[in-house]
Structure formats: C-alpha cells, structure tokens
Amino acid sequence: MINSVYRQKIYPFLLRAYYRYLQTSERSLDKAYKAALQIKAIEDEHFNGNKINFDSTRHSGSVMDYFESELKRQLKIIRMRLTEFKFSRFFLDESNQKTAKQVGIEYSSPSLILEKLNFIDEVTTKYNSFKPDEVIPNTLSPQSTIVPVEPSLNQTKLQNTPKNKLDNSARSKTNTTGVLPRSIFNTITRLQIELDPNAEQDVVKNFRNTQKRTIISVRFLLLLIIVPILTHQISKALFVGPVVESYFSKHSEQAKIFLNYEMEEEALTELERFEERIKFNSLLGKHEPLSQEQMELEVKDKAREIAEEYQHESGNAIKNVFADIFSIVAFTWLLLTSKREIAVLKDFFDHVVYGLSDSAKAFIIILFTDIFVGFHSPHGWEVILEGISRHWGLPANHDFIFLFIATFPVILDTIFKYWIFRYLNRISPSAVATYHNMNE
C-alpha cells in the first residue's frame, strides 16, 4: 500500500520538481532579461533612451514615484533571478544536462546566454549605486532651521549648500560681529536666490526629498511599534503558550499556583471576603443560613476557582517573560538592520523639533520634564514599575521602587538641564528665555 501511494502521488510530485529544477537556469535568465527589457522600455519611451533621472521636471511627482517603484521592482527581480541563475548553473552537471535532453528540455546556446547577460549588464550598470529609498541628507544645520517657520526659496538654497560652509557661517555669526548688520547681507542673499533661474528646480527637488524623508520616517516608526507587538503576540500564541500550557498540564500537581507571595495574599484575601460575604448575606436574611458542611463546600469550590485563576495568571506571566525576550530580539534586529532609516529618522526629528516656534519648544520641554521628573512623577514611576513587576510575575520590591524613584528622575532632570544649557541655549536662546518665563 505504501508503495502504491508513493508511485501514485509522491513520485510524480518529485519528478515534476526535478524537471522544474532542470529548467531553473533558463527560467531565471528569461525573467531577468524580461525585467531588463521593462527598464529599457521606460528609458526609451519617457527619457529618450537615457537613464531614468529622478531629478527631471518633465513629469509630475506621482509619475516619478511610479517610475521609481517600477525601477525598484525590476532591479530586485534582476538581482534575485541572476543569483538563482548562478546557483543553478553551478549545480548543473553533465548528468543533469543529459537527463534534460532525454526529457526534451533544451538549453539556450552559450552565445544567446552571453547576449542576454550583456544586455542585462548594460541596463543595470547605470543603476549600480541606485537606492530606491535613498534621501539626500539634509545639510541644513539646526541653527538655520529654527529661524524660518514657512518654507521659502532661501531655505531651499541653503539646503543645497555644503555643510562645512554652513557650519563656518553659523560659527561666524555667533562668534563675530560684522561692520554692517547681518540682515543687509541676508537680504542681498535672498534677492540673489530669487533671481536664480534654477530656483524652481531646487524647490521641486527639495520637496521630493522632504516627502521621501517623511514617508521613510513614518514607515520606520510604525515598524518600530508594530514589529515588537506582533512578535510578542505571535510568539506567545504559537510558541511560548503551547509549551507553558503543556508543562502545566503534565505537572499540574508540582506546578506552583502562585509565583510570589503577593499573589498568594491576594488570593487569601479574596477567599476571606467571599466567606465573609456569605455570612453577611445570611445574617441579613437574603438567603437561608448554611450549615457548616455547606459553608465548607462553598468555600472549597471558590478556592478551586481562585486557584485556577491564579495558576492561569502565573502561566501568563511566564509566557510574557519569554515573549518579551523575542520582542526585544526582534526590536534589536530591526535597529541593527536599519541604520540608513535611523539616520533619516534623526534628520526628520531634527527638522520637526527645530522647526517649532520658541513657545512650542518651551511647552514641550515643560510637559516632558513635569511628566518624568516633576513633582507628581514619583506616583507615575511607581505605577509603571508595579505594572512591569506584575506583567512578569515578580513581587513588587518597594525598596527597589523607592530607590529607583529617588535616583532615576534626578538623573533625567540633570540630562534635561545639561541639554538646555549645552545645546538649546546655543541654538535658540529665545526658546530658553521663553522656557524660563513659562516655568516661573
């Protein structure tokens, strides 16, 4: 019977898989060649046979985004299929080629293969340094971003100047005093920028870079939030949960009902209240008085119910520990593999924060300092630490909590004050003055 099943189902499946393996090199090369033809068609039809230029103003932003996504997709197909082609050719020996001829599989001639590979290389060589999500780093320093609130041509021109030039200009503005007011030179510079014939192209280019930076930053922030949460829930439901539940079911007698003494105290308190509630209701005449045996039976059933509830809570705490480990690993892996996205996100936050008005900066600083290091912050820290302890099934060590509250907010307060003194006072003195006035 086993041999018949093997002949009828398994053997034909393995045979089809082997035939598909023999066709892998041809199939992968054809798909890579077709992807290169797609890129070449876009170049010939929309860019006069030249390289796809994302700085071109001939097409709208939506059209250029489509071209960029299409180029990204086709280049990815080419890379994957060429890798598949190389590996399949490496493992394709003479015996496989003979088998392919016997079953009617014909391979392309070497000249045709070289022709396709040369064409693919001609198309892809233009985009060797292409990174689909690359955003040109903004060279605008924080000193120059906090002054204007609305975008203008002056901002656009400044963002396209070299970084060392901006740093030198910012340093000269803070450390030297000119013979004439700086506003006169700023006005002359603004007029020169407005008369520049390339100003419109600079504005379009800057807008596209800003749009890309915002999209990448928002997408990366969502990944930082969603990936750990999904990892926690999936690992808890599919991996950690079944293991812990099977252990508790096999060792139900040896498994602890309470992970710490606080759970045990809560369970005993709940059982005592239940017994007192029964006595209180019987004294009020809400139901008939129970005998001693009935009372013991009711308490016994309630004790079993409480034990099952707290055993489930203990198992859930153990699941949380291992699921949190998986979440931390996923979060760390995401950070290690997303260095470019982190740089873009930092640039995005710099523009958001330093682009705020002085009153908005002062308001945010006061809000964060009052929440984390303010007068009422110890109560919040205590709630957070107790919640974390309960999440992991640990007893709430009040000595550790009080020591943490006495030291950690002080350290945060010191860091806030040092940042205000060291950086914000140099970048935006008016924001510091507004902060002190609002804080008083």
Side-chain angles (χ1 to χ4, degrees):
M1 182 177 179
I2 296 176
N3 292 330
S4 62
V5 173
Y6 176 78
R7 292 175 182 174
Q8 293 177 1
K9 296 182 179 180
I10 300 178
Y11 180 74
F13 172 76
L14 294 176
L15 191 62
R16 288 194 300 270
Y18 180 65
Y19 289 163
R20 182 174 177 81
Y21 162 72
L22 294 176
Q23 297 172 344
T24 300
S25 59
E26 291 291 322
R27 183 177 62 255
S28 58
L29 182 60
D30 289 339
K31 289 185 178 180
Y33 182 71
K34 289 179 181 178
L37 288 176
Q38 292 288 336
I39 298 175
K40 185 64 176 175
I42 295 176
E43 293 176 348
D44 294 338
E45 185 175 355
H46 301 281
F47 296 92
N48 297 326
N50 298 319
K51 175 184 174 181
I52 299 176
N53 184 14
F54 299 105
D55 296 331
S56 175
T57 57
R58 293 178 55 189
H59 305 283
S60 63
S62 301
V63 175
M64 294 305 299
D65 290 339
Y66 168 74
F67 288 152
E68 182 179 358
S69 62
E70 187 67 18
L71 177 62
K72 175 183 176 182
R73 188 172 68 87
Q74 300 299 338
L75 288 176
K76 184 177 180 181
I77 292 174
I78 292 173
R79 287 194 296 267
M80 293 176 60
R81 297 307 174 186
L82 286 182
T83 304
E84 187 179 2
F85 172 76
K86 293 176 183 178
F87 278 99
S88 61
R89 295 285 295 182
F90 178 78
F91 291 105
L92 192 65
D93 52 10
E94 294 181 0
S95 61
N96 291 328
Q97 293 179 2
K98 292 180 180 179
T99 306
K101 291 181 180 179
Q102 292 176 1
V103 298
I105 298 176
E106 296 182 359
Y107 292 112
S108 301
S109 61
S111 60
L112 183 58
I113 293 175
L114 292 177
E115 182 181 352
K116 290 182 178 180
L117 290 175
N118 286 330
F119 178 76
I120 294 171
D121 290 338
E122 290 177 1
V123 173
T124 57
T125 303
K126 309 172 188 177
Y127 309 100
N128 284 337
S129 60
F130 172 72
K131 295 181 180 179
D133 294 330
E134 183 178 6
V135 178
I136 298 175
N138 200 334
T139 59
L140 196 59
S141 61
Q143 290 91 335
S144 57
T145 58
I146 61 173
V147 178
V149 177
E150 297 180 355
S152 62
L153 294 176
N154 195 6
Q155 281 184 338
T156 306
K157 191 68 177 179
L158 284 174
Q159 288 178 350
N160 294 320
T161 56
K163 187 173 182 179
N164 55 0
K165 184 177 179 181
L166 281 172
D167 293 340
N168 293 333
S169 63
R171 205 178 297 118
S172 63
K173 289 178 182 179
T174 56
N175 297 333
T176 61
T177 303
V179 179
L180 296 176
R182 287 196 302 268
S183 59
I184 297 177
F185 295 103
N186 292 335
T187 303
I188 296 173
T189 304
R190 181 169 55 82
L191 291 175
Q192 291 177 351
I193 294 172
E194 291 176 353
L195 295 176
D196 188 0
N198 297 323
E200 185 177 356
Q201 296 180 359
D202 293 337
V203 171
V204 175
K205 184 177 181 180
N206 179 62
F207 172 75
R208 289 177 178 173
N209 288 333
T210 305
Q211 188 181 40
K212 290 180 182 179
R213 182 183 64 226
T214 304
I215 293 173
I216 294 174
S217 302
V218 172
R219 183 177 60 190
F220 185 62
L221 282 176
L222 291 177
L223 284 176
L224 290 178
I225 296 172
I226 294 174
V227 169
I229 294 175
L230 284 179
T231 305
H232 182 277
Q233 297 297 326
I234 293 174
S235 61
K236 186 177 179 180
L238 299 180
F239 303 106
V240 181
V243 174
V244 174
E245 289 175 359
S246 64
Y247 175 81
F248 272 92
S249 62
K250 292 179 181 179
H251 305 83
S252 58
E253 297 180 357
Q254 300 177 359
K256 290 184 179 181
I257 299 175
F258 309 105
L259 288 180
N260 54 68
Y261 65 90
E262 290 184 353
M263 287 185 176
E264 187 175 0
E265 289 180 357
E266 290 177 2
L268 294 176
T269 303
E270 187 176 352
L271 186 63
E272 290 176 0
R273 288 181 178 177
F274 175 75
E275 188 175 358
E276 291 174 357
R277 189 181 299 111
I278 292 176
K279 293 180 180 179
F280 182 75
N281 291 332
S282 62
L283 290 175
L284 291 178
K286 292 184 177 180
H287 56 72
E288 297 180 358
L290 301 177
S291 63
Q292 187 67 23
E293 295 179 355
Q294 292 176 340
M295 177 67 73
E296 291 180 358
L297 185 61
E298 291 286 339
V299 173
K300 189 175 181 180
D301 293 338
K302 184 64 177 178
R304 288 199 189 97
E305 181 182 345
I306 293 175
E308 292 177 358
E309 178 183 349
Y310 277 88
Q311 190 172 17
H312 176 72
E313 186 175 348
S314 300
N316 192 44
I318 296 174
K319 296 176 188 177
N320 290 333
V321 173
F322 291 100
D324 288 343
I325 293 175
F326 283 109
S327 298
I328 293 173
V329 170
F331 185 77
T332 306
W333 174 80
L334 186 62
L335 292 179
L336 293 177
T337 56
S338 305
K339 294 182 180 180
R340 185 175 58 84
E341 286 79 2
I342 292 174
V344 175
L345 182 63
K346 181 180 179 298
D347 187 59
F348 173 75
F349 276 128
D350 287 342
H351 280 76
V352 171
V353 173
Y354 291 112
L356 296 173
S357 63
D358 295 336
S359 58
K361 293 176 188 174
F363 172 77
I364 292 175
I365 293 172
I366 293 174
L367 179 65
F368 275 88
T369 52
D370 285 350
I371 289 176
F372 294 103
V373 298
F375 178 75
H376 300 287
S377 63
H379 304 289
W381 287 114
E382 187 174 357
V383 172
I384 292 174
L385 292 175
E386 288 182 355
I388 293 174
S389 300
R390 192 171 188 86
H391 178 74
W392 289 337
L394 300 174
N397 192 337
H398 294 283
D399 294 335
F400 171 76
I401 292 175
F402 293 150
L403 180 63
F404 182 88
I405 293 173
T407 55
F408 188 71
V410 176
I411 296 173
L412 279 183
D413 187 36
T414 306
I415 293 174
F416 273 125
K417 290 179 179 178
Y418 176 77
W419 177 76
I420 292 172
F421 173 77
R422 182 71 175 83
Y423 296 102
L424 191 63
N425 195 27
R426 184 179 60 182
I427 294 170
S428 180
S430 56
V432 177
T434 306
Y435 164 72
H436 288 303
N437 292 331
M438 293 176 66
N439 207 15
E440 291 176 357

